[in-house]
Amino acid sequence: MDPQISSSLFMNLTRLSNEIYPATEIIKYLIDVVGYDVVSFRRNAQVSYMLVDRAREICDAINGHIQNTESGGDWTSFEKFTQAIDPIENTLLKLIELTKEEKALYFASGESVEDCIISAERWVANREQIWDALDVLETRTELTNLFAESNVPHEADRLDARKHDDKIFFEEVIGDINKTISGFQRLPPFIRKLPSKLDQLRIKMATGSISLGLTALTVKTGLLMQGIVNISLVSTSVKTATRDHLRSTPVWEAARELVELLILTNGDDKASIENIRLKYEAFLRLLRNSIDLELPKSYIELLKLAGKVRRPFHFQAVALIQLCRLLATEFEKESHHTAQNVRPLEEACDLTHKALKEIVDTVTELNIFDVADLENHPAFEALATAQHYIKICFNAFGLDGDWSGTEQLISDAVEKDKERIEEVNRALTALPPSTVQRRAALVKVYVSVIDQTTSGLVAQVKFDIERSARLGAARWMAARGLDGQLVKRARQTGQFQLASNNTPCDLGRSVSDFTSANDECHLKLIFSSTTPGPQTTKATSDPRQPVARITSPRESIHSRWSTGASGKNY
């Protein structure tokens, strides 16, 4: 609020003439809050001033009746003030969010057709709510009973204030359109003529030739066109295809027909208003059917996050991604490919992406999770919000009849996540990841592969393998580095020897048995075309050496999870 312009108005609207009592403290506070916003209004101002002024009068009257009860015998005043407190508090409480929003609003704003449409509809909604609040304060019995008959407001005063607000705001809308188009030399004919056509409507409003029933449609039409003119001529963020669409002849031919219908309509009957409403809706459909509608960027990003979501929420994440994919497919259909559907799809995909990012950022390692406590996880609320906006998008696309089955799909995903978590918890309790990682310490293995048939060196292979792995597994890895038929021969007939002294090495022994202090293992793998000798899978005859043990599936799985193995030539 500009103190130089509005402080005196604020004080005049809100200053009480009677002593304030504890019972009216909240009322006075609400009057101050609403009044502070109202003095900054650039539209609906006169009605709003009347509203705050009336609220102050009511608060003063309540305080007067409270003062009367201090004598101890005025039960009439008691009845009046106790019955009045709740209605005025309710009315002002409902206005707090509205006045906070309305003080920042003026013309149609935003960078899209949908933004302009929403701005026009918001003006209508806020205007109606302010009018309704004033009607309550001036006509509700519990509030009028506070005053003598001579102090009951006249309906004509409210009507004059409403007409004044609409007329002034409409004039300002026309002025903004004039200001915008004055900077352009070449424009479609009707855009150039638009201010003069709207001015004919302004004259009808000023002379009372337009009924109150048509006023809202008239001002809303002008406000919408002001926004469309602005984004099609001035905005730098609108894509070329959209701008061309909004400047096209069909769009402004429809605009001309709508304005001329308003000019020609004098009646206030339902048929006339319905006819204009239908023409307005047709104009909206034409505006929304822009040829430059794309899928949200966040929709493409969903696919990139799918593989980064860990188990506690994996099934739920996949379910929401699939639903966004379904909605994107519907959006691409001609019946749903409209500007009106862009926003709900964007919100659904944006919030799903946000939920998945929350999971990726907060669930960073394999761990035990308390199933009963998952609802307190920050990702849980993000997933619920995403689901809510996916449902809104379903409704916007006319798919609300399919939602019950969809909701069941999400519920099933939640239960599947819980079941899998419990299974994983049991596995992790039996063998924690830290234990697996210790067991899975890697050794660098260097193998010289020799074909005994030709007595030649076939290849030299290097790879990493777990210390606990058997030499049988090392043979498999070494063979991966060979070509063609050599792979099969090496895996079936290959025998290891120590590279340093050609000592045979049993395949049942662990790699760690032949590992040096610097975690390296140097071996020869010798193979031929004959069947493998007796040392391939039997235990060593030396009782001091460990007997080969079959690795458990859990150990094998954990080893692969924690390290992974790769073989390559060097």
Side-chain angles (χ1 to χ4, degrees), residues 133-370:
L134 179 60
D135 284 345
V136 169
L137 296 185
E138 294 200 344
T139 63
R140 183 153 174 169
T141 303
E142 295 93 327
L143 302 177
T144 57
N145 283 345
L146 294 167
F147 303 96
E149 235 180 86
S150 59
N151 197 18
V152 174
H154 296 291
E155 185 178 357
D157 294 335
R158 295 198 300 277
L159 186 58
D160 285 345
R162 292 172 180 175
K163 289 181 177 179
H164 175 82
D165 281 344
D166 290 343
K167 179 174 72 71
I168 294 300
F169 183 53
F170 194 55
E171 288 175 357
E172 292 168 350
V173 167
I174 297 171
D176 188 76
I177 295 174
N178 255 324
K179 180 181 177 181
T180 300
I181 68 174
S182 63
F184 296 85
Q185 296 300 318
R186 300 177 62 184
L187 288 173
F190 186 72
I191 297 182
R192 181 70 63 189
K193 296 177 181 177
L194 179 60
S196 62
K197 289 289 185 181
L198 293 176
D199 201 53
Q200 293 182 46
L201 288 171
R202 180 194 63 80
I203 294 171
K204 290 186 70 174
M205 288 175 63
T207 58
S209 301
I210 291 184
S211 65
L212 197 60
L214 287 178
T215 300
L217 271 170
T218 300
V219 179
K220 181 170 72 168
T221 298
L223 184 58
L224 173 62
M225 292 184 180
Q226 171 267 323
I228 297 301
V229 166
N230 187 65
I231 65 171
S232 63
L233 299 182
V234 179
S235 176
T236 57
S237 62
V238 176
K239 295 182 179 180
T240 302
T242 301
R243 182 180 294 110
D244 291 345
H245 171 70
L246 296 178
R247 292 182 181 181
S248 66
T249 299
V251 167
W252 290 103
E253 181 63 22
R256 180 190 63 78
E257 292 176 0
L258 175 58
V259 172
E260 290 185 349
L261 181 61
L262 282 165
I263 292 171
L264 294 173
T265 301
N266 294 314
D268 194 17
D269 58 283
K270 289 184 179 180
S272 297
I273 294 177
E274 180 64 13
N275 191 24
I276 294 173
R277 189 191 65 78
L278 292 174
K279 183 69 74 173
Y280 182 85
E281 292 295 328
F283 182 54
L284 294 189
R285 286 194 296 274
L286 184 59
L287 289 175
R288 283 168 166 157
N289 287 335
S290 171
I291 60 176
D292 192 31
L293 302 178
E294 298 178 351
L295 289 170
K297 292 180 180 179
S298 56
Y299 171 69
I300 307 301
E301 296 298 317
L302 292 179
L303 200 57
K304 300 178 183 179
L305 288 177
K308 299 178 182 178
V309 176
R310 284 185 165 83
R311 173 49 59 192
F313 302 103
H314 176 76
F315 284 125
Q316 296 170 71
V318 170
L320 295 190
I321 292 172
Q322 289 173 337
L323 292 178
C324 287
R325 184 183 183 189
L326 184 152
L327 290 170
T329 303
E330 288 293 325
F331 177 73
E332 294 288 82
K333 295 178 181 178
E334 185 177 354
S335 58
H336 293 140
H337 197 68
T338 66
Q340 185 177 11
N341 285 337
V342 170
R343 185 182 297 271
L345 181 61
E346 279 183 344
E347 290 176 336
C349 292
D350 287 353
L351 288 163
T352 300
H353 182 271
K354 181 180 179 181
L356 266 58
K357 193 70 170 61
E358 180 75 30
I359 299 170
V360 171
D361 291 343
T362 57
V363 185
T364 57
E365 61 183 357
L366 182 63
N367 211 336
I368 293 174
F369 286 89
D370 183 357

